[in-house]
Amino acid sequence: MLVGWALVLTGVACLVYIAYCGRRNGRALAAARARHDKLGRKERLARLRHRDFPAFCLEVNNLRAQRNEKPIPVELLRRVQFNLMYTIDED
């Protein structure tokens, strides 16, 4: 009888540990996915800046609209089009 209860308690402890690790790994996975998505957006903007400037302007101003910021005029973006230090998606 004692062995049976020991097995039940061990099983419950294992399930609690698995749930804890799954939650922790889920948060780490979400953070890694967010970093990956951010890098992907930056890379896409960098490519658009040189290949399709009107689409770049539209994308930048759409990102700013999502963050409730004022749009950047196209003339200002044109001045920094070839500046490699320029970043739109700065946190």
Side-chain angles (χ1 to χ4, degrees), residues 60-73:
V60 166
N61 288 326
N62 284 341
L63 285 173
R64 292 181 63 84
Q66 288 175 356
R67 296 186 302 216
N68 295 326
E69 297 175 357
K70 294 166 76 175
I72 300 174

Side-chain angles (χ1 to χ4, degrees), residues 21-34:
C21 288
R23 183 173 166 215
R24 186 181 61 196
N25 289 340
R27 283 188 298 216
L29 179 63
R33 182 173 287 147

Side-chain angles (χ1 to χ4, degrees), residues 1 16 20 41 80:
M1 183 78 169
V16 169
Y20 170 74
R41 281 192 308 271
V80 296

Side-chain angles (χ1 to χ4, degrees), residues 1-21:
M1 183 78 169
L2 188 61
V3 174
W5 283 108
L7 285 174
V8 168
L9 288 176
T10 303
V12 169
C14 287
L15 290 175
V16 169
Y17 179 74
I18 289 170
Y20 170 74
C21 288

